Structure formats: C-alpha cells, structure tokens
Amino acid sequence: MTEQRTFEELLEDLADSLQISPSRYDQAEKSYHAVGEWLQREKSSLSDASPEIYIQGSFRLGTVIKPQSEAEDYDVDLVCEVDFSKLSMTQEELKALLGKELQLYAESRGMQKPEEGRRCWTLNYSESAQFHLDTLPAVPDGENRTVTLAREGLNTTWSDTSIAITDLKHRHYRQLSPNWPNSNPKGYANWFVSRMQSVFDERRRALALNEAVAVEKIPTYRVRTPLQSAIQILKHHRDQMFESDPDNKPISIILTTLAAHAYQQETQISAALQNILQRMPQFVEDRNGEVWIENPTNPTENFADKWQEHPERRYAFERWLKQATEDFLLASGKTRDQALDVLKPSLGERLVEAAKNRRKNIRSGNASTVGYSMPLIILDPAHRKLPRWPIQAMGAVDIKSVKYLQNGFRPQPISSDDKPLPKGVTITFVAETNIPKPFKVFWQVVNTGYEATSAHDLRGGFFEVSLQEGRLIQKERTRYRGVHAIECFIVKDGTLCARSGQFIVNIG
C-alpha cells in the first residue's frame, strides 16, 4: 500500500470518527421541525407572520463534529424568520414573542423553560438527546441589504436572503428603528456549497444511484466532500490545541471561510487538506493596517474584527495554522501507525483510537460506507473521469466474482483491497445487474503509481464492452505496481441506471 493512499485512508477514518451519527441528525431535524409546526399552529401568536424555521451553522454546512467529551451537548442553531417589518416592532418585542411561544412549547412537552441569550433562545433537551436548540428571531431584510450594498458598489450576489436579527446589546434593541443587526445564514450556506459544487453534486448522484432513489431523496447532510471532511479535522485539531485557552481559540466561521476559499475541488481529503493549509493566508487581507477576513455574503462585515482589539487572537490563529501545517505534513510521509503516533498529541488519543477501530471494521466487513454518504471510494485522482450520462437510478449492479489466474495455478478468488498481486496475472471480473435488457455496459479502470504514470497509462475513462454469453465480464492484466480500481456502469436509454462502486486491486 502506498504512503499516499495510507494517509488518505487515515484522514477518511479521522473524519468519519468525528462525524455524528445519522440518528443524531434525524433527531435534531425532527426536533426543529416540531418547533416549526408549533409556531405555525393556529393558536400561535406568530402564525399570521408565516414563521419559517430553518437550520444554520455547522449542521447546515455539514461540518459539525462530535463534542470533545461524552458529557458535552452539541448546538443546533436555528433561525425563526417571521414576516414582520423592522418598523412594526422593536427587536425586544420580536424576541419576547418568540420566547413566549417557545415557553409554551417547552411546557407542552415537559421540558425546561427556554433560556434567553444575547441573540437567541435556547431549548434544552434531555441528557440522552445530547443537544440543544438555539433559536434566533429574525425578519426578512434581503431587499434593504441588496440596495445598501449596491449603493456602495459592493457584491450583492448572496444578499437577497439577508435577515435582520435581535441583539440585547444593540443600541436600538428597545427602540423602533430600521437599524437592526443583520445576518445571512442561507446566503452563506449557498456560497459554501458553491465552493464545492461539482464534487458535492457528483457524490450526491453517486449515493442516489447506489440506493436506487432520486437525487433529491438524498438529504444533503449525508453527502460528504473533502472540503467538509478537512474542515472537521481542522476544527478538532484546533479544539485540542486550545482546550485550555478557549478565549483565543480561532472561531469556526474564520476556519470555515478560509478553508472554503482555499478549496479547489480536490477529490481527496489529503490533497484538500494540504492545499487549504497552504492557501489559507492568501485570503487574510490587510486593509489600511486592519486585518480583514471578509464575510463572502456581506462585504462590509469582517470576521476578524475582534483581532484589532485582541491581537493575541490573530497570533493564536497564526500559531494554530503553523502547527496544523507541520503536523499533517509530517504525518503524510509516514506509515499508518507512524502517522497516528505523529497526530496523537494534536488530535487526542480518543479520536486516534476511534480511527484505528474504524479501519479494522472496514477490513472485517463490518462497515460499508464512509461518513454515511457513499460507497467507500478510495481512488479518486484527478484523471478519474466523472460519469457523462444523466442519472436515473433504476436498480443495481454488483461485482460478484473476481478471480486471478497465474501460470501454473488454478484461478484464485480475491476481495477488494486484498493482498498485492504480482505483475503478469489475468484478473476476471464478473458483475451482475437487475436492470432489464437491453442496456449498455461500461467499465472504468483507474491506475495510479509511478510505473503507470511513466507508461502514460493512468486510464480513468470509460470503455464499452459487450455481454459475454449474457454475462457482464471484464478481464484485465496486472502491469504496474500500485493501487488500482475498476468499476462497472449500466447505461440504459442514454441514462446511467446503476454503478457497482470501486473494486480495489493492489499490485506489488
């Protein structure tokens, strides 16, 4: 196994070990939908204002990570957007209205009274749920924000979803005023997805195809891209580093924004992580002596504004970035066990052990997905082509039998990612599908390694083959040392109906 692939597997395991379970996502989603239904009920004091509850923050972005300890809760950040004008009530009155409804909701379910924060209300669930909902009152402000930015000659691409929010410390909190704090969680989420759009869409389509469902049936939280995984790993690295100094811990919005800017549609976590760490400083600006990290959905907002008052926070960010770059660079050139030893001090023993156990489960067949998103795809280099057909999931295709034939020996079965095979042996792949005929069969072979590169034979495209006696069969001969993959695709009436997922072949 190559060191590059070993490191990629390790990063996959780390990211997956940080990911909260699908049941946690489902539980949180059901809870905030229940709150929305309560606010929209006929007797609600907000029902006439068409209240809309939606998620924001790391849950929406797919970058949430497990709490540092089993005892900690995780935050689910919500927005309650109501159709009021900023001049129809004060921030204080809007917040009180929402607080009253949330209190009635809590009483109806035997929950604790909601707690008031600076901007939002917090609903605490049972200890077993291990999360709480922070609900932010807001009113639409997209039109006003767009006009304001346009007047200043600034970018308005994302401004139409802007909202005005409440803030106890705002100078007009108790006064009727058009001057409210603003935010734009929908716009930020849309911008974030745009930074990984092609990879996100391809992985969502792959998951839909694998499960034989329409793409829109796949919840976005189940799709994991290298950008999201890299951010999760970096957030955990930061949390560990600043466990005893939380006041100077670089805030998540800065890490997420810089990482998204730096991401260049890499298809592997290792490449994404390396480029993100190298390119992050390019997006920290100096504006007349003031450090700026611009909010991409509001060019007038500086995410690093607190760095002027607290310069130690800027130094903390720079120190963290330097440490993270050194840690992951050093680990990338090691064997798996050596890399884990390198990363253990910065990531913590708990996460490292979880990553170790996850790979054991995959080897033993007890885990079949990475991050609840798509079949385990280990090889995804730049020369691997994406499917060119529109997708319409109709069934499945699986590589059921793989045997290799070496001179003087009987055919021997092998499993995906099995022990290395020698050069010069023939491998026969037999796939089965439940797609009714007629259809076309395509295979994709992806080669890696120095020998294949030198021979200009990395492949990565699609080639059509005919059925052999009604069977889906493809034969390949081992030629180059390295890690290689093959996948079967079924195309019917010009649409991609099924794909097998990669079968990994190691050649020593």
Side-chain angles (χ1 to χ4, degrees):
M1 184 181 294
T2 66
E3 291 176 352
Q4 181 181 3
R5 177 166 163 228
T6 299
F7 189 52
E8 180 65 21
E9 280 190 353
L10 174 58
L11 294 176
E12 288 172 354
D13 295 343
L14 290 171
D16 195 69
S17 299
L18 288 168
Q19 182 78 351
I20 67 173
S21 69
S23 63
R24 293 289 191 195
Y25 270 106
D26 291 340
Q27 189 176 25
E29 193 171 52
K30 288 176 182 177
S31 296
Y32 82 77
H33 280 310
V35 171
E37 291 171 1
W38 178 267
L39 296 176
Q40 293 166 357
R41 77 193 193 287
E42 187 176 348
K43 293 183 178 180
S44 169
S45 58
L46 295 173
S47 60
D48 290 340
S50 305
E52 178 190 4
I53 285 279
Y54 54 88
I55 204 161
Q56 64 169 330
S58 59
F59 261 83
R60 184 169 189 140
L61 302 179
T63 60
V64 65
I65 60 176
K66 289 179 179 178
Q68 286 284 87
S69 72
E70 296 290 348
E72 287 183 68
D73 281 3
Y74 51 87
D75 301 334
V76 180
D77 296 316
L78 306 178
V79 175
C80 175
E81 187 174 340
V82 293
D83 192 15
F84 287 134
S85 162
K86 290 185 289 185
L87 293 176
S88 66
M89 64 176 60
T90 66
Q91 297 176 47
E92 183 181 39
E93 289 169 339
L94 174 61
K95 194 174 184 188
L97 277 176
L98 178 60
K100 176 184 175 182
E101 287 299 330
L102 292 179
Q103 182 172 342
L104 293 172
Y105 175 83
E107 290 173 355
S108 72
R109 285 159 174 74
M111 297 170 60
Q112 298 176 22
K113 182 179 178 179
E115 300 174 5
E116 184 175 11
R118 175 176 168 176
R119 294 184 172 184
C120 62
W121 292 97
T122 298
L123 278 172
N124 292 300
Y125 284 75
S126 64
E127 291 185 5
S128 61
Q130 204 181 346
F131 72 90
H132 55 264
L133 299 181
D134 291 334
T135 308
L136 174 71
V139 298
D141 198 35
E143 184 176 350
N144 175 69
R145 196 71 198 146
T146 299
V147 169
T148 300
L149 292 175
R151 187 184 301 129
E152 298 179 26
L154 299 173
N155 184 11
T156 62
T157 301
W158 312 100
S159 59
D160 62 336
T161 53
S162 296
I163 55 177
I165 63 175
T166 64
D167 187 335
L168 280 170
K169 295 188 177 182
H170 192 266
R171 63 184 183 279
H172 297 302
Y173 179 71
R174 293 180 174 84
Q175 303 169 9
L176 274 178
S177 169
N179 185 9
W180 288 36
N182 62 76
S183 185
N184 191 359
K186 282 184 179 178
Y188 187 90
N190 292 337
W191 170 80
F192 182 80
V193 171
S194 77
R195 296 298 306 153
M196 58 178 185
Q197 194 74 60
S198 62
V199 177
F200 180 89
D201 289 345
E202 197 275 335
R203 294 196 171 196
R204 194 179 189 194
R205 287 194 298 266
L207 182 56
L209 190 61
N210 185 63
E211 298 186 6
V213 298
V215 172
E216 58 270 19
K217 295 292 185 182
I218 301 298
T220 56
Y221 70 75
R222 291 186 61 201
V223 184
R224 298 269 299 286
T225 68
L227 172 60
Q228 292 166 310
S229 295
I231 290 173
Q232 289 176 307
I233 293 169
L234 293 176
K235 285 169 66 174
H236 180 80
H237 183 281
R238 171 210 59 186
D239 290 347
Q240 289 288 119
M241 184 170 173
F242 290 89
E243 188 173 14
S244 60
D245 186 18
D247 291 340
N248 290 319
K249 179 172 72 172
I251 58 177
S252 292
I253 193 65
I254 285 180
L255 264 62
T256 301
T257 301
L258 294 179
H261 273 305
Y263 181 63
Q264 295 182 303
Q265 304 298 316
E266 292 88 359
T267 57
Q268 291 187 312
I269 304 172
S270 53
L273 189 65
Q274 178 183 20
N275 288 339
I276 284 170
L277 290 170
Q278 288 179 348
R279 300 181 74 242
M280 266 186 171
Q282 298 178 23
F283 303 96
V284 180
E285 302 177 63
D286 184 334
R287 296 189 180 179
N288 299 319
E290 184 177 356
V291 181
W292 264 80
I293 299 174
E294 183 180 294
N295 178 347
T297 67
N298 179 8
T300 65
E301 182 178 4
N302 178 16
F303 285 145
D305 59 346
K306 296 294 190 295
W307 288 8
Q308 322 311 320
E309 183 181 352
H310 302 282
E312 65 275 12
R313 296 183 185 179
R314 176 184 179 179
Y315 303 141
F317 170 79
E318 292 172 346
R319 185 161 48 89
W320 166 78
L321 181 60
K322 182 175 182 292
Q323 186 65 54
T325 302
E326 291 175 355
D327 287 343
F328 290 106
L329 180 62
L330 182 60
S332 65
K334 305 293 185 182
T335 66
R336 181 183 177 83
D337 288 342
Q338 289 172 339
L340 286 169
D341 288 339
V342 168
L343 293 173
K344 184 181 291 187
S346 57
L347 297 182
E349 185 173 358
R350 179 182 169 202
L351 178 62
V352 166
E353 289 302 315
K356 282 183 179 179
N357 292 333
R358 181 182 176 278
R359 184 55 46 177
K360 290 176 182 177
N361 288 335
I362 289 176
R363 299 294 189 208
S364 63
N366 296 326
S368 59
T369 62
V370 174
Y372 320 104
S373 60
M374 62 187 300
L376 180 61
I377 294 181
I378 296 176
L379 289 189
D380 196 10
H383 58 273
R384 173 179 170 263
K385 304 299 183 184
L386 299 180
R388 60 181 182 268
W389 309 276
I391 293 175
Q392 182 180 1
M394 296 175 58
V397 60
D398 297 298
I399 298 176
K400 289 290 189 180
S401 169
V402 182
K403 294 182 179 180
Y404 72 95
L405 179 62
Q406 192 173 8
N407 292 337
F409 296 91
R410 291 183 178 181
Q412 297 292 317
I414 59 169
S415 301
S416 180
D417 200 19
D418 212 332
K419 61 184 180 181
L421 298 177
K423 290 183 182 181
V425 304
T426 299
I427 311 176
T428 301
F429 301 88
V430 180
E432 296 179 5
T433 183
N434 58 5
I435 301 293
K437 298 176 182 177
F439 53 73
K440 294 183 177 180
V441 183
F442 291 84
W443 294 82
Q444 181 184 50
V445 173
V446 179
N447 291 333
T448 69
Y450 174 77
E451 292 184 354
T453 302
S454 299
H456 304 289
D457 196 19
L458 290 172
R459 303 173 75 176
F462 299 90
F463 55 92
E464 184 178 357
V465 300
S466 301
L467 297 179
Q468 299 182 30
E469 299 179 355
R471 304 173 71 197
L472 283 64
I473 298 176
Q474 175 59 23
K475 293 185 178 182
E476 293 286 332
R477 192 162 179 82
T478 59
R479 291 184 174 88
Y480 312 112
R481 290 187 178 89
V483 183
H484 314 282
I486 188 169
E487 185 170 6
C488 184
F489 297 77
I490 305 298
V491 176
K492 185 178 179 70
D493 298 328
T495 62
L496 179 56
C497 301
R499 64 189 296 182
S500 64
Q502 288 186 333
F503 188 101
I504 303 301
V505 177
N506 299 307
I507 303 175

